[in-house]
Amino acid sequence: KAGVTQTPRYLIKTRGQQVTLSCSPISGHRSVSWYQQTPGQGLQFLFEYFSETQRNKGNFPGRFSGRQFSNSRSEMNVSTLELGDSALYLCASSLGGGPKRDTQYFGPGTRLTVL
Amino acid sequence: AQKVTQAQTEISVVEKEDVTLDCVYETRDTTYYLFWYKQPPSGELVFLIRRNSFDEQNEISGRYSWNFQKSTSSFNFTITASQVVDSAVYFCALTPGNRDDKIIFGKGTRLHILP
């Protein structure tokens, strides 16, 4: 069974631009969560999608948004990039019950650098 | 407030030694879930264990064991007979049990197993 895939793996953007990251969950998984990892703030929850609906949301500004498609694939968008958005963005998929009930499987991440 | 503290930023031990990673959490919820994840150099987080607040039994899985003590709000992780492949960053995490599924991660402990 293929694992969680994230594309692209590396991305370089400049301030003010926008970026879209993609996550393909494990086949059969309906929940996709996104996390931001930085040296300063550590790992922080961004949001979770289930059945094309945002089910949970972390404390990030509205510049961070996401969506989920009918095939459970998810995209995350960051608009008006800031230097502080440089981070490793991790995607995790699970069957659908959330981390309390189902094991989350993580992808390798997308390393975003904002210049 | 919900908080996870991993006081050990970095630990180095020689292979075959035992090592314990500390995790102290704060929550006012009576129902909550605790997790440990491993992040190897490749970047993706790997789920190790999930424990709910009503289950204080310690758990052993091979060389890994976990000690959950509600009295001290700790959920410590011990690796017995460490191996070089155990080198990674280990994260302890907490999620409230009766509201949403936001995971709060500790800052992580970087573990170096020296050959």
Side-chain angles (χ1 to χ4, degrees), chain B:
Chain B
Q2 324 267 356
K3 186 180 178 182
V4 176
T5 301
Q6 295 180 256
Q8 304 150 308
T9 306
E10 203 158 345
I11 300 175
S12 294
V13 300
V14 176
E15 197 173 18
K16 297 183 184 175
E17 286 185 354
D18 299 347
V19 58
T20 294
L21 308 183
D22 297 333
C23 173
V24 174
Y25 61 92
E26 293 176 31
T27 180
R28 292 180 181 173
D29 294 314
T30 54
T31 303
Y32 51 89
Y33 291 74
L34 296 165
F35 306 80
W36 275 95
Y37 287 88
K38 173 183 179 180
Q39 187 175 38
S42 54
E44 74 271 24
L45 266 72
V46 177
F47 168 85
L48 295 177
I49 190 172
R50 171 177 53 242
R51 175 67 49 160
N52 75 54
S53 53
F54 298 107
D55 183 1
E56 286 192 74
Q57 282 193 351
N58 293 329
E59 180 150 342
I60 298 175
S61 177
R63 296 183 297 106
Y64 295 171
S65 62
W66 291 269
N67 184 313
F68 176 28
Q69 291 198 341
K70 287 177 75 170
S71 60
T72 56
S73 297
S74 64
F75 187 42
N76 296 338
F77 172 36
T78 297
I79 301 175
T80 303
S82 60
Q83 299 176 2
V84 172
V85 293
D86 296 327
S87 296
V89 181
Y90 290 85
F91 292 93
C92 180
L94 163 74
T95 189
N98 57 359
R99 291 198 301 279
D100 53 39
D101 278 344
K102 297 177 187 177
I103 286 190
I104 299 142
F105 287 90
K107 294 291 189 184
T109 296
R110 185 176 297 277
L111 177 63
H112 300 279
I113 308 297
L114 309 172

Side-chain angles (χ1 to χ4, degrees), chain A residues 59-79:
Chain A
N59 298 321
F60 278 81
R63 300 186 297 108
F64 292 81
S65 62
R67 59 178 175 169
Q68 186 180 36
F69 302 94
S70 58
N71 60 358
S72 294
R73 189 178 70 86
S74 177
E75 286 182 349
M76 192 197 111
N77 185 277
V78 187
S79 63

